[in-house]
């Protein structure tokens, strides 16, 4: 009997372990531009290079540390120089972000908050974060409305 329980525990642990590694390669962002669709899992997105933004937000308490890919780097990667980004969340909520917002030291697609990967429950998998504290221009209703969380799709339109 004891052996069956041990076997069950080991098998259950392996299943959980496989589930964890499978999640690491799940698509976190689908990007559509010029009729082409590209998908990114977390490692592929992070391979573009990450930046850190330390800022307060109107949705959290105190200063938070976000890490993710800059919107400027993502726009550069696909060659988007103008137009709009239709950023869509898991629940199909969509906001428009002008490509002109994709500037150096500008918004990032946050992957982690305070060193922890963001779950869907905690505004993940991705959250558009502007460096709100770095520039008063980023503390407006318009910018706050562009700070979409649970982001999983971006379409570039002209």
């Amino acid at each position: 009997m004891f052996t069956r329980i041990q076997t069950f525990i080991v098998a259950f642990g392996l299943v959980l372990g496989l589930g964890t590694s499978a999640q690491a390669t799940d698509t976190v962002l689908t990007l559509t531009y010029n009729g082409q669709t590209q998908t990114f899992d977390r490692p592929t997105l992070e391979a573009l290079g990450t930046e850190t933004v330390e800022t307060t937000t109107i949705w959290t308490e105190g200063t938070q540390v976000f890490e993710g890919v800059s919107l400027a780097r993502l726009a550069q990667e696909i060659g988007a120089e103008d137009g709009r980004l239709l950023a869509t969340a898991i629940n199909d909520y969509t906001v428009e972000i002008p490509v002109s917002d994709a500037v150096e030291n500008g918004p990032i697609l946050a992957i982690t908050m305070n060193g922890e990967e963001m779950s869907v429950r905690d505004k993940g998998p991705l959250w558009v974060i502007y460096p709100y504290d770095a520039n008063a221009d980023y503390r407006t209703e318009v910018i706050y409305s562009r700070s979409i969380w649970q982001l999983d799709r971006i379409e570039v339109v002209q």
Side-chain angles (χ1 to χ4, degrees), residues 130-141:
Y130 287 75
Y132 310 106
D133 294 347
N135 185 333
D137 292 341
Y138 289 145
R139 293 188 298 270
T140 67
E141 289 302 315

Side-chain angles (χ1 to χ4, degrees), residues 1-149:
M1 170 108 170
F2 186 70
T3 306
R4 285 187 198 171
I5 293 171
Q6 285 178 319
T7 303
F8 174 76
I9 291 170
V10 170
F12 187 71
L14 286 172
V15 168
L16 288 178
L18 290 174
T20 302
S21 62
Q23 289 175 350
T25 59
D26 287 346
T27 297
V28 294
L29 179 67
T30 301
L31 181 64
T32 304
Y33 182 60
N34 283 339
Q36 301 292 318
T37 299
Q38 186 174 359
T39 59
F40 295 87
D41 59 16
R42 182 177 172 181
T44 304
L45 195 58
E46 289 175 330
L48 296 176
T50 60
E51 294 184 10
T52 300
V53 171
E54 189 171 328
T55 190
T56 58
T57 80
I58 62 172
W59 306 279
T60 58
E61 291 186 30
T63 301
Q64 308 295 318
V65 179
F66 297 95
E67 185 175 0
V69 176
S70 79
L71 202 56
R73 177 67 184 102
L74 189 64
Q76 177 188 23
E77 175 72 14
I78 62 171
E81 296 177 4
D82 59 3
R84 298 167 291 137
L85 305 174
L86 299 181
T88 304
I90 292 169
N91 67 356
D92 293 327
Y93 176 76
T94 301
V95 299
E96 286 188 19
I97 302 171
V99 173
S100 60
D101 276 12
V103 296
E104 189 174 329
N105 299 314
I108 65 169
L109 301 182
I111 299 167
T112 66
M113 181 170 68
N114 301 320
E116 299 291 325
E117 184 174 337
M118 292 181 293
S119 69
V120 171
R121 174 178 245 169
D122 295 321
K123 300 187 173 32
L126 302 172
W127 184 2
V128 176
I129 293 292
Y130 287 75
Y132 310 106
D133 294 347
N135 185 333
D137 292 341
Y138 289 145
R139 293 188 298 270
T140 67
E141 289 302 315
V142 170
I143 295 300
Y144 294 144
S145 73
R146 295 176 185 163
S147 301
I148 187 171
W149 55 75

